């Protein structure tokens, strides 16, 4: 889709943007959608191959989520966000209070 409304309808992830725009900001009906390049501006990785692969994976994940309820998307996102190995927590210099929260959420 070319607009944010079309993008939401196309993905099937109905997050309330359409109803919000119609009710609160009708001037935003033609607001353009957010494209991959708006989030990830080249060059952002060490190799172009990594950028290409990331774009492919992001598109695949988006297609897998199509038609799912937003709560499923948020649940899966949270699971992946907090799935980190203990040795990575130590080597990434993550603050202790964040490590405690991550372990609690991930049941480690």
């Amino acid at each position: 889709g070319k607009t944010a409304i079309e993008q939401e309808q196309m993905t099937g992830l109905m997050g309330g943007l359409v109803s919000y725009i119609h009710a609160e900001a009708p001037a935003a009906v033609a607001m353009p959608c957010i494209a991959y390049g708006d989030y990830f501006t080249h060059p952002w990785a060490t190799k172009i191959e990594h950028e290409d692969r990331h774009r492919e994976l992001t598109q695949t994940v988006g297609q897998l989520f199509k038609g799912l309820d937003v709560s499923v998307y948020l649940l899966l996102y949270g699971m992946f966000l907090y799935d980190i190995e203990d040795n990575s927590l130590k080597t990434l210099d993550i603050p202790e209070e964040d490590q405690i929260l991550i372990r609690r959420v991930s049941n480690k």
Side-chain angles (χ1 to χ4, degrees), residues 11 38 62-63 71 73 81 84 93:
T11 64
D38 296 331
Q63 290 169 349
S71 59
Y73 170 78
L81 178 65
I84 187 169
D93 196 31

Side-chain angles (χ1 to χ4, degrees), residues 46-59:
T46 55
K47 294 183 178 181
I48 189 71
E49 293 82 11
H50 296 315
E51 292 183 20
D52 291 342
R53 183 68 177 137
H54 181 266
R55 185 181 188 118
E56 291 171 14
L57 290 172
T58 302
Q59 186 173 22

Side-chain angles (χ1 to χ4, degrees), residues 1 9-10 18 20 22 24 32 35-37 50 59 74-75 77-78 80-82 86 91 93 95 98:
Q9 292 169 336
M10 186 181 74
V18 174
Y20 176 81
H22 287 299
E24 305 296 332
Y36 178 87
H50 296 315
Q59 186 173 22
L74 295 174
L75 180 62
Y77 180 82
F80 289 117
L81 178 65
Y82 290 106
D86 280 336
T91 60
D93 196 31
D98 291 345

